[in-house]
Amino acid sequence: MTKMNVRMTLLSDAIFGNGSSIPGGEDISVLCDGCGFPYFKGGTFKGIFREELERYLELCGKSTSDIRETVARLLGIASSDDNCDQMIFSDFTIAPDVTKIILEEVGIDRPEVVTYILTNVRTFTEIEENGIAAKGTLRRARCVNEGISFYSSLSCPEEEKKLVTEVLGMIKWVGSMRNRGFGKIRITV
């Protein structure tokens, strides 16, 4: 097994949804750790990687059975509790040096302030054909600010490092509302 350090830089605001909302505030909140720092789950990234791996192998002209075998060998079988996956993804987090600086400035007991520094709230609505906002469609989403970099490490078999690097380079979007321009990224190894 080889360890690869991966950097994910946000080229647009991104929504790392945590599945909850704040009544009267945000319809979509951001996934944050106990100190208020946003992060992206390694398991969620693994799912995105799986989709891109399948697409890459298909573009390379691999057969359906070859694609299935390669994906199962590297990532396990989707929605199975008995996975023998060879790749391990850690969560994407902000660099420790950056978190240390922010916590020294803000204090460890103010996670909401840390979150507000690194995120913003975007408001949007559905527009009807006549150009007027549709009634009852106002939504607010908390977004991680464009320009922030997140870091992860992943483990993979040494002989698959080239394949993994090429597939990582294909990943261009993460998070919620990608079809609205949120979550554009650049991955570097």
Side-chain angles (χ1 to χ4, degrees):
M1 294 291 270
T2 187
K3 184 177 176 181
M4 300 171 68
N5 293 314
V6 180
R7 177 181 179 176
M8 175 175 68
T9 303
L10 301 183
L11 302 179
S12 70
D13 287 353
I15 302 173
F16 302 161
N18 67 2
S20 65
S21 62
I22 299 171
E26 301 162 7
D27 296 292
I28 303 172
S29 294
V30 167
L31 183 62
C32 293
D33 66 15
C35 292
F37 291 97
Y39 69 97
F40 194 74
K41 285 187 175 182
T44 303
F45 188 80
K46 179 180 175 180
I48 294 169
F49 183 88
R50 177 185 299 274
E51 290 173 7
E52 289 301 328
L53 175 61
E54 290 171 352
R55 185 171 299 130
Y56 177 84
L57 294 172
E58 187 177 307
L59 290 169
C60 289
K62 301 292 184 183
S63 69
T64 303
S65 61
D66 284 347
I67 293 171
R68 207 171 322 161
E69 183 277 325
T70 301
V71 171
R73 180 173 43 80
L74 289 176
L75 300 171
I77 299 168
S79 68
S80 172
D81 291 334
D82 188 27
N83 279 337
C84 298
D85 49 339
Q86 294 187 29
M87 293 187 65
I88 300 167
F89 295 80
S90 71
D91 292 339
F92 279 85
T93 59
I94 294 174
D97 292 346
V98 174
T99 60
K100 180 182 175 196
I101 291 167
I102 292 173
L103 289 176
E104 286 173 353
E105 186 70 28
V106 173
I108 196 163
D109 57 342
R110 300 176 62 201
E112 68 285 346
V113 175
V114 171
T115 301
Y116 288 126
I117 290 170
L118 300 169
T119 65
N120 66 82
V121 175
R122 301 279 290 269
T123 304
F124 50 95
T125 189
E126 179 182 334
I127 303 295
E128 294 179 342
E129 287 182 23
N130 61 8
I132 298 174
K135 186 173 181 158
T137 62
L138 183 65
R139 300 285 180 263
R140 293 170 48 98
R142 183 158 295 279
C143 306
V144 182
N145 295 335
E146 173 184 350
I148 297 177
S149 292
F150 293 83
Y151 300 86
S152 174
S153 64
L154 66 87
S155 298
C156 71
E158 180 67 41
E159 63 275 10
E160 301 293 356
K161 185 174 181 178
K162 182 178 185 288
L163 170 66
V164 169
T165 301
E166 289 176 2
V167 173
L168 286 170
M170 290 179 60
I171 299 172
K172 303 296 180 202
W173 301 90
V174 298
S176 300
M177 300 180 72
R178 293 177 283 201
N179 60 339
R180 291 189 178 209
F182 292 95
K184 186 171 184 177
I185 62 165
R186 180 179 50 248
I187 298 277
T188 52
V189 179

